[in-house]
Amino acid sequence: MTQIPDLIRVFSYLSLLTVGGGMAAFPEMKIQIVDIHRWLTFPQLIHFYSVGQMAPGPNMMMIIPVGDWAAGPLGAVVVVIAFFGPTALLTFAIGRLWKHLESWPWRQSIQRGLAPVSVGLLLAGCFTIAKGSIFGVATAAIAVGVLMILLQYKINPALLVLGGAVVGYLSL
Amino acid sequence: MSELAPASPALEQAGALVPKTVSLWQVFLQFLIIGATSFGGAVPYLRRALVVKLQWLDDKQFVEMLSISQSLPGLNATNMAILLGDKLRGPLGAFAAIVAICLPGGLYMFFAGVFYRIHGDHGWVTDALKGIAAASVGLILATVVQLAKRSLSDHFDLVFIGLTVLAINLLHLSVPVTLISVGLLAILWHHPRTAPAEGLGAPEELEK
């Protein structure tokens, strides 16, 4: 129960960092959840994120077990509202203003400028998660294998993550 | 790319598209179905259901919403739910859409968390999880490559990508500090005078 205010603070803060996708917030998420509040260990956080890749819908629903572990089912609900609420309100407001912004010359500059930064944030999040999940040849081979297959063929990524589970089970 | 282009029936009738009255319940139900079935990224599922199948809106509107979603904080899936829900049924529609799209995956992850707490330290679960985590790294890298290919406007953008990674992974600056400083630099670099008229590569997102 005592964790609720912290959960609200942390997840509404993380919410605003998800520029270009949930992964953008991952390095900060690791610091907040693992290092500062110790709700999870780093491997647990990575496991939740990864299992979340096999869930349907928005791909950051892994925050729910974080809230549940920290403060029970109420924590899970609080975390969802804190994480999706701020960006939902922002998107709602900007969505209504968008027509008026159309002629604003800086709009496209902002879109063009944020594009490389969000790719960079995604890559930085990837390196953070790789530090805790690539340990040797076998795990590196799985990662590279998934990368190659996805760049080469049109296949549902959730299936490949499931494939990773099978390979891990059989070989690790 | 191909998925959006001329083959789409909705696009051909874009001009003739009559705004339909959609009930709040229909909005909730459609987003609930998408929330339960959209494995591996919600955006293509949203387009297939709302634009192609139900024709609640046309491709032009969809792509514009996608470009708004991508330039704001928040996940594409939830931002799209807000914009689409608002368009179809106002503020309540937006609320119904985001709740419905999150609900199935949220329940799934809740129970995954419960299962993990009980069985997470069993040998076979740990091995499977290691494989899943490694596969996720490959998946994120593939997303990086695909996103870079379609959303960057010039080669100099690679510098901003490099700066962002450097700031976070080597200098250990926080995400907001990095986002604001590198973001500001990049926006100034792309200041209005240099920006050509052609749009961002947003439609390609649909192919993912």
Side-chain angles (χ1 to χ4, degrees):
Chain A
M1 235 7 164
T2 52
Q3 301 293 322
I4 298 279
D6 280 339
L7 284 173
I8 296 174
R9 243 194 317 275
V10 166
F11 281 91
S12 46
Y13 163 64
L14 292 174
S15 171
L16 296 170
L17 304 182
T18 55
V19 175
M23 203 19 38
F26 194 82
E28 201 68 18
M29 190 177 259
K30 189 242 166 196
I31 292 169
Q32 293 289 332
I33 291 178
V34 176
D35 303 337
I36 298 180
H37 294 284
R38 298 174 193 277
W39 288 316
L40 260 64
T41 66
F42 190 33
Q44 286 171 338
L45 180 67
I46 289 177
H47 290 160
F48 281 169
Y49 176 80
S50 312
V51 170
Q53 297 306 301
M54 294 188 298
N59 75 350
M60 292 300 281
M61 302 315 291
M62 47 80 67
I63 58 167
I64 287 182
V66 180
D68 182 37
W69 282 33
L74 181 64
V77 174
V78 158
V79 153
V80 171
I81 296 170
F83 190 72
F84 291 112
T87 52
L89 290 174
L90 184 70
T91 302
F92 183 82
I94 302 278
R96 297 222 155 178
L97 281 175
W98 198 252
K99 280 271 168 263
H100 305 281
L101 294 175
E102 217 150 19
S103 51
W104 188 43
W106 281 92
R107 197 195 81 179
Q108 213 183 29
S109 304
I110 292 172
Q111 282 189 297
R112 282 168 180 272
L114 285 184
V117 180
S118 49
V119 173
L121 288 175
L122 188 63
L123 193 56
C126 185
F127 285 142
T128 303
I129 207 169
K131 270 182 226 156
S133 52
I134 307 295
F135 300 106
V137 182
T139 43
I142 294 175
V144 173
V146 168
L147 171 66
M148 298 314 244
I149 294 171
L150 281 175
L151 292 182
Q152 208 58 231
Y153 305 100
K154 208 180 159 181
I155 179 168
N156 193 316
L159 282 178
L160 288 179
V161 178
L162 191 64
V166 176
V167 174
Y169 172 66
L170 295 175
S171 70
L172 292 176
Chain B
M1 269 164 238
S2 53
E3 209 188 317
L4 176 71
S8 154
L11 197 65
E12 281 152 25
Q13 334 175 338
L17 200 71
V18 189
K20 295 184 181 154
T21 32
V22 182
S23 75
L24 199 57
W25 167 245
Q26 282 175 297
V27 171
F28 184 82
L29 188 66
Q30 280 308 320
F31 281 85
L32 192 68
I33 294 171
I34 293 162
T37 55
S38 59
F39 291 91
V43 171
Y45 291 84
L46 283 169
R47 182 182 163 271
R48 215 171 300 148
L50 305 184
V51 179
V52 178
K53 205 177 102 211
L54 298 164
Q55 307 198 354
W56 284 352
L57 71 166
D58 61 40
D59 255 324
K60 196 170 159 288
Q61 295 168 313
F62 189 86
V63 168
E64 174 162 292
M65 287 179 187
L66 194 57
S67 107
I68 304 175
S69 293
Q70 286 171 331
S71 32
L72 293 176
L75 311 185
N76 273 342
T78 50
N79 283 354
M80 284 301 277
I82 290 288
L83 295 174
L84 289 163
D86 184 31
K87 157 121 190 86
L88 295 168
R89 198 68 209 188
L92 277 179
F95 183 71
I98 192 170
V99 169
I101 204 171
C102 287
L103 200 56
L107 286 174
Y108 171 105
M109 280 312 291
F110 181 82
F111 290 112
V114 171
F115 178 87
Y116 181 93
R117 178 146 48 183
I118 302 167
H119 301 289
D121 50 358
H122 292 191
W124 67 273
V125 179
T126 319
D127 290 343
L129 285 169
K130 281 181 190 159
I132 291 174
S136 297
V137 170
L139 165 57
I140 303 163
L141 278 176
T143 313
V144 168
V145 173
Q146 288 158 349
L147 200 65
K149 268 192 197 157
R150 69 167 170 259
S151 70
L152 302 186
S153 14
D154 60 45
H155 289 300
F156 200 79
D157 278 341
L158 294 176
V159 174
F160 297 121
I161 297 178
L163 280 176
T164 307
V165 173
L166 192 78
I168 289 178
N169 294 120
L170 288 174
L171 305 177
H172 299 289
L173 296 180
S174 70
V175 173
V177 168
T178 308
L179 180 61
I180 291 169
S181 52
V182 184
L184 217 58
L185 267 177
I187 291 168
L188 289 175
W189 171 261
H190 288 287
H191 68 94
R193 203 157 42 86
T194 57
E198 137 251 10
L200 283 174
E204 282 88 328
E205 167 76 13
L206 301 167
E207 173 138 328
K208 217 171 74 180

